Amino acid sequence: MKDNLNIVFFGTPDFAMPVLKALIDSEYKVSGVFAGHGPVELEASKRNIKVFTPTSLKKDEQVFEEFKKLKPDLCVVAAYGKILPTLYLDVPKYGFINVHPSLLPKYRGPSPVQTAILNGDTETGASIMVVDKEVDHGPILASVKYTVPDTKYHTEIATDIFKLGAELLIEILPKYISREIESEPQDHSQATFTKMFTREDGRINWDSPAQEIYNRIRALNPEPGTWTTWNNKIINIKKTELRDGKIHIQTIQIEGKKEMSFEEFLRGQPSFDISQLK
């Protein structure tokens, strides 16, 4: 089955890599990769897999023609970040399946891991779903739970979840192809939705409880980043710890300067007081 199954992969960020590698290492034939510019693109090129980096799937007719020429039996999606047009969905015999980093129908949309951290969730997971015409709306093939560590940041947690999702994908893929498992519709009445976070979402409100501030810093770093102001300058808060109910800043970056430890900053600003942060 592995030799005969032709897969095209869609995914962009570094934390989508476990899914691509799992497919390749499990000796599935991956004939093409759709990605943004970054780690997945480089990994596919290194493995001599044809790579596509379109800015828009909907508008680029030439890319669609190239996609059809690959004659995929199945497409696997992991954090691709672009809307998949219906004409793509209709091409592969076994459709598109998506490794989504939440326990659907909770946290559909572009930022499920960040939203889970921001909300202080202690549990999330990965869902393997069949892609349909709506965002993260399709029926579920399988899911796995993940306990959210209270010290890890967004990209670390996302990588953990996609590793679990990759393992689950490899486990269920033969059963999906042979129709040994059936998908189950989501309870759409329980669906919640996430958004793309902006730079403004990263501004720290120091009047918020320490746990909320800590969760925001963990959720929104490295992108779009969390920040505050001091002496009319922007200070990017890169890393903190939460100890004894208080925020302890570890790493910062003042606008126009290199990232530095907070201790190094304090040595140069002996009169600094935390209340000066706005």
Side-chain angles (χ1 to χ4, degrees), residues 4 29 107 116 135 169 173 175 187 219 262:
N4 296 327
K29 177 187 176 184
Y107 297 153
V135 176
L169 174 68
L173 201 48
K175 299 175 184 177
D187 182 351
F262 195 55

Side-chain angles (χ1 to χ4, degrees), residues 251-262:
T251 310
I252 65 168
Q253 183 181 25
I254 301 173
E255 61 176 317
K257 296 189 176 182
K258 296 188 299 183
E259 191 171 311
M260 68 177 77
S261 71
F262 195 55

Side-chain angles (χ1 to χ4, degrees), residues 114 197-204 216-217 219-227 236-238:
Q114 290 172 298
F197 289 105
T198 67
R199 182 68 172 162
E200 190 56 37
D201 291 312
R203 183 160 196 171
I204 296 171
R216 184 167 296 272
I217 293 166
L220 302 186
N221 272 297
E223 292 293 339
T226 47
W227 57 281
N236 295 296
I237 307 296
K238 296 289 190 175

Side-chain angles (χ1 to χ4, degrees), residues 43-139:
E43 180 69 19
S45 297
K46 186 174 71 176
R47 294 179 181 256
N48 297 315
I49 299 171
K50 190 172 180 60
V51 179
F52 301 87
T53 57
T55 55
S56 170
L57 294 177
K58 189 174 183 179
K59 297 178 180 178
D60 198 325
E61 295 180 5
Q62 180 61 39
V63 169
F64 178 62
E65 292 303 317
E66 292 294 323
F67 170 67
K68 287 195 295 184
K69 288 178 184 177
L70 294 174
K71 297 181 179 179
D73 299 304
L74 173 72
C75 294
V76 174
V77 185
Y80 180 52
K82 296 184 189 299
I83 299 296
L84 298 167
T86 302
L87 70 169
Y88 275 78
L89 301 183
D90 294 338
V91 170
K93 176 181 178 180
Y94 299 105
F96 280 66
I97 58 176
N98 179 27
V99 182
H100 182 80
S102 81
L103 297 175
L104 291 169
K106 191 174 185 180
Y107 297 153
R108 295 177 180 176
S111 60
V113 177
Q114 290 172 298
T115 304
I117 299 169
L118 199 62
N119 289 345
D121 292 1
T122 58
E123 184 179 79
T124 183
S127 301
I128 312 292
M129 55 162 286
V130 179
V131 178
D132 65 11
K133 297 177 183 179
E134 298 184 44
V135 176
D136 300 330
H137 175 275

